[in-house]
């Protein structure tokens, strides 16, 4: 795998994390609504695979869901920055080579 595909898998996992946290916050007033989270596992060659899992009830759910959303947003930003820098480096390399 290359850097772009590794960062792309990180973007997808972070996006899924934001969606899961938002869904948990939206369902907060619904009694008995299941909480969901994201399970990530490494992929051979680099990157991650992400999927939704059901989480146990948590009395501190509003706070932990908001923290999880913020964490996912930061992970998304970090992977997006990696893609931008990789693109800039490739452009600079092509400029030098030309």
């Amino acid at each position: 795998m290359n850097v772009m595909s590794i960062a792309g898998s990180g973007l997808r996992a972070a996006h899924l994390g934001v969606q899961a946290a938002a869904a948990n916050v939206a369902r907060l007033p619904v009694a008995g609504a299941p909480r969901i989270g994201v399970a990530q596992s490494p992929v051979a060659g680099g990157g991650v695979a992400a999927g939704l899992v059901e989480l146990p009830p948590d009395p501190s759910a509003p706070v932990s869901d908001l923290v999880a959303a913020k964490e996912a947003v930061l992970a998304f930003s970090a992977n997006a920055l990696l893609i931008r820098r990789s693109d800039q480096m490739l452009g600079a390399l092509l400029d030098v080579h030309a």
Side-chain angles (χ1 to χ4, degrees):
M1 271 190 148
N2 63 26
V3 171
M4 296 295 233
S5 61
I6 292 170
S9 71
L11 286 173
R12 287 186 293 278
H15 181 256
L16 193 58
V18 170
Q19 287 181 323
N24 287 338
V25 170
R27 287 192 304 249
L28 206 59
V30 179
R35 294 185 63 245
I36 56 174
V38 176
Q40 297 182 25
S41 59
V43 174
V48 295
L52 294 175
V53 294
E54 190 169 332
L55 298 176
D58 181 7
S60 65
V63 174
S64 61
D65 289 332
L66 292 174
V67 169
K70 183 64 177 174
E71 181 183 311
V73 167
L74 291 173
F76 190 93
S77 296
N79 282 294
L81 180 62
L82 179 65
I83 290 172
R84 278 194 300 274
R85 294 295 181 250
S86 178
D87 186 51
Q88 288 172 347
M89 287 181 1
L90 180 60
L93 179 64
L94 291 175
D95 288 344
V96 169
H97 191 297

